Amino acid sequence: MCLTKLGAAFVRSAAYERRFLAKNPWDFSMVVWIPLMTVLIIWWIFSQTQITDLPIGVMDQDSGPIANTAVRYLEASPTLTVRQLYYSDTEAKAAILQRDVYAIVVIPENFSRNILSGRSAPLVLQVNAQYGTHSGIIQTSVQAVAATLSAGVKIERLVKKGMAPAQAAIAYSPIKIQRISLFNEATNYQQFLASTVIPALLHILAMVIGATTIGRELRDKKLGHWYRFINKGHPNLMMTNKITKETMPVLEADKTENHQDFRNKNNVPSQVTGHVSVSILLFGLLGKYFWPTLAFSIWAVLALWLATPQESIAISSLVATYLGLILLMMLSFWLGAIFTLASFSLRMGLSSTAFISAPSYAFAGVTFPYIAISSSAQHWSDALPLTHYLKLHVAQLQMQAPATVSLPIVYGLTIAVIVAMSLTALLTKRALAHPERWGAR
């Protein structure tokens, strides 16, 4: 097959798609505005990089000096804020149910007296564990306050017995934890969640675009028209623009033009006769997905730029991550097309893409540990392309691992894209041979 002919098929297909996007604002928005707004909105949602001032309530049933100190310590914690003091269980429960507060700290009666007399005096924490992140932070912060208060009371008691303050501190807690955070030291939720959620959402949008771009040709019974258009010699673009006022761009500059226009206007599927070239189809599909690929390449740059505003990332890591994200987007396009072509239905294609892409973030091991899920769920996770890209993303941008660590993922995504492209071309050839199945919604 002559490269010139293949290149011409690519250019004609890209021109065909450009004219369609120019005349269909919704499809254009799916490629341009919706992904852009998705990236910016997600980043804005996580613009406050750390969780602070989680509202809690306090029921002080003691009102002693140590109880008052405990309330001050809770208010001084950077992750907590004492929203209100409550005086009845009913009032406190109503506040939790209405989400005015996420936890209630109960200081029981005789709290100060029990501490001063050397008896146990627990703080009671009632936390809304339905919100895992909130409850985890609140429990850690309240525990830290309790430990600080206990240490102060114990050290003060030892000092009164004549022990030096330094010795008293050692005697109270001879074993301490020296905690070293290797990655994301500031517990930056923008880095932890936003930078990984954005590729997941772009993955979903890319699969939807992949399904609709080829699916609308099946739905509108224009797949044969599209193939003849990309397989013609040199199209008359002015004539094509006139035709698109009523139908999809189809160029028939031969003696059958009038007959073909009649078929187009009456929405009759036109069968492609003769040999169908897989190479022409492949380059035509590349042209058809050229504009979405170009647009998502720009959104990938934006996403990576937002993910590394203050990080010193090696160029090799950035390149590996960018290539991985572009390959993920391309694979998403082709997978969406495969599901649609395999079922001969745009509706089934969109349903399949939603079934696979929408929950894929939950299986990726970012928010829930990969090693903690069942073996069958692990197999499903390994089959999802997003899982492998996010491994690359986290390793390169957050853990700053050497780029060579993630190269196998880049190679694997490359192979997957080539296989998906080839399979899409073969399924398109099969679809061209069955015009009676076109038109499914």
Side-chain angles (χ1 to χ4, degrees):
M1 180 67 67
C2 178
L3 291 178
T4 304
K5 188 173 183 179
L6 296 178
F10 172 87
V11 172
R12 285 193 292 272
S13 185
Y16 176 101
E17 192 66 18
R18 179 188 61 80
R19 289 191 293 276
F20 178 86
L21 293 175
K23 293 179 177 294
N24 293 270
W26 173 248
D27 292 87
F28 180 80
S29 297
M30 279 294 297
V31 175
V32 177
W33 300 121
I34 293 179
L36 175 60
M37 294 304 298
T38 298
V39 173
L40 297 180
I41 289 174
I42 292 298
W43 206 252
W44 172 73
I45 289 173
F46 291 93
S47 57
Q48 183 173 335
T49 59
Q50 295 179 330
I51 297 177
T52 59
D53 297 331
L54 288 173
I56 65 171
V58 174
M59 286 184 60
D60 187 358
Q61 299 174 346
D62 178 72
S63 300
I66 299 180
N68 294 334
T69 301
V71 175
R72 290 198 303 270
Y73 281 11
L74 289 171
E75 181 63 35
S77 175
T79 57
L80 303 176
T81 182
V82 178
R83 176 67 60 84
Q84 188 174 343
L85 295 176
Y86 298 98
Y87 300 98
S88 69
D89 292 337
T90 303
E91 187 181 5
K93 183 178 180 180
I96 289 182
L97 291 176
Q98 295 171 6
R99 290 190 298 178
D100 293 335
V101 296
Y102 290 103
I104 299 292
V105 177
V106 180
I107 304 177
E109 294 182 18
N110 300 322
F111 178 76
S112 300
R113 181 182 300 177
N114 289 335
I115 290 178
L116 294 175
S117 60
R119 293 193 296 267
S120 174
L123 289 173
V124 180
L125 174 63
Q126 300 175 354
V127 60
N128 186 353
Q130 179 63 38
Y131 300 95
T133 302
H134 304 60
S135 65
I137 293 175
I138 290 173
Q139 290 180 56
T140 301
S141 300
V142 173
Q143 186 176 10
V145 168
T148 302
L149 193 62
S150 298
V153 172
K154 183 66 175 179
I155 291 173
E156 182 180 358
R157 186 176 299 161
L158 292 176
V159 169
K160 287 182 178 180
K161 292 181 180 180
M163 187 177 294
Q167 292 178 334
I170 296 174
Y172 170 73
S173 181
I175 300 176
K176 294 184 178 180
I177 297 176
Q178 185 178 4
R179 184 169 57 186
I180 301 175
S181 298
L182 297 178
F183 315 109
N184 198 9
E185 299 178 9
T187 316
N188 187 328
Y189 279 84
Q190 194 176 64
Q191 178 181 346
F192 165 55
L193 281 177
S195 67
T196 53
V197 168
I198 288 174
L201 293 177
L202 291 179
H203 168 59
I204 296 173
L205 292 173
M207 290 195 72
V208 171
I209 292 171
T212 55
T213 299
I214 195 67
R216 62 174 178 260
E217 306 297 344
L218 286 171
R219 179 196 61 195
D220 300 334
K221 303 180 182 180
K222 304 298 182 183
L223 189 62
H225 304 158
W226 168 75
Y227 178 74
R228 277 191 300 275
F229 179 75
I230 66 172
N231 198 33
K232 293 293 288 185
H234 296 283
N236 185 333
L237 295 181
M238 294 301 295
M239 182 184 298
T240 303
N241 286 333
K242 292 179 181 179
I243 293 174
T244 54
K245 293 180 180 179
E246 297 182 0
T247 61
M248 295 293 290
V250 179
L251 195 62
E252 288 293 334
D254 54 23
K255 62 182 180 180
T256 64
E257 180 179 355
N258 293 332
H259 175 65
Q260 185 62 48
D261 287 344
F262 173 80
R263 295 177 65 86
N264 293 347
K265 292 178 181 179
N266 288 275
N267 202 27
V268 178
S270 178
Q271 186 174 6
V272 176
T273 58
H275 175 69
V276 175
S277 171
V278 175
S279 300
I280 290 291
L281 280 177
L282 180 58
F283 277 78
L285 289 168
L286 287 172
K288 195 168 184 60
Y289 288 98
F290 170 75
W291 301 109
T293 303
L294 178 62
F296 275 71
S297 298
I298 298 173
W299 311 144
V301 171
L302 177 61
L304 294 185
W305 178 72
L306 292 173
T308 57
Q310 299 175 345
E311 300 290 334
S312 177
I313 307 296
I315 297 298
S316 58
S317 295
L318 286 174
V319 171
T321 308
Y322 181 71
L323 288 176
L325 185 52
I326 296 300
L327 290 169
L328 174 67
M329 296 300 103
M330 294 179 64
L331 182 58
S332 303
F333 294 142
W334 298 119
L335 288 176
I338 287 171
F339 293 134
T340 301
L341 291 167
S343 61
F344 281 90
S345 170
L346 176 57
R347 180 179 59 189
M348 289 299 298
L350 290 173
S351 299
S352 300
T353 60
F355 174 77
I356 291 175
S357 62
S360 59
Y361 188 77
F363 292 89
V366 175
T367 56
F368 193 87
Y370 172 84
I371 60 175
I373 62 179
S374 63
S375 58
S376 58
Q378 288 181 357
H379 294 321
W380 176 250
S381 176
D382 293 336
L384 298 174
L386 181 65
T387 301
H388 302 284
Y389 168 75
L390 289 181
K391 287 181 181 179
L392 183 154
H393 181 99
V394 171
Q396 296 303 314
L397 298 189
Q398 299 181 13
M399 300 173 66
Q400 299 185 16
T404 53
V405 172
S406 300
L407 286 181
I409 297 178
V410 176
Y411 298 150
L413 289 174
T414 302
I415 295 173
V417 168
I418 294 173
V419 172
M421 287 169 49
S422 304
L423 182 57
T424 303
L426 293 174
L427 287 174
T428 305
K429 182 177 180 179
R430 186 192 71 157
L432 285 169
H434 297 278
E436 72 279 358
R437 298 189 63 180
W438 301 350
R441 309 308 291 179

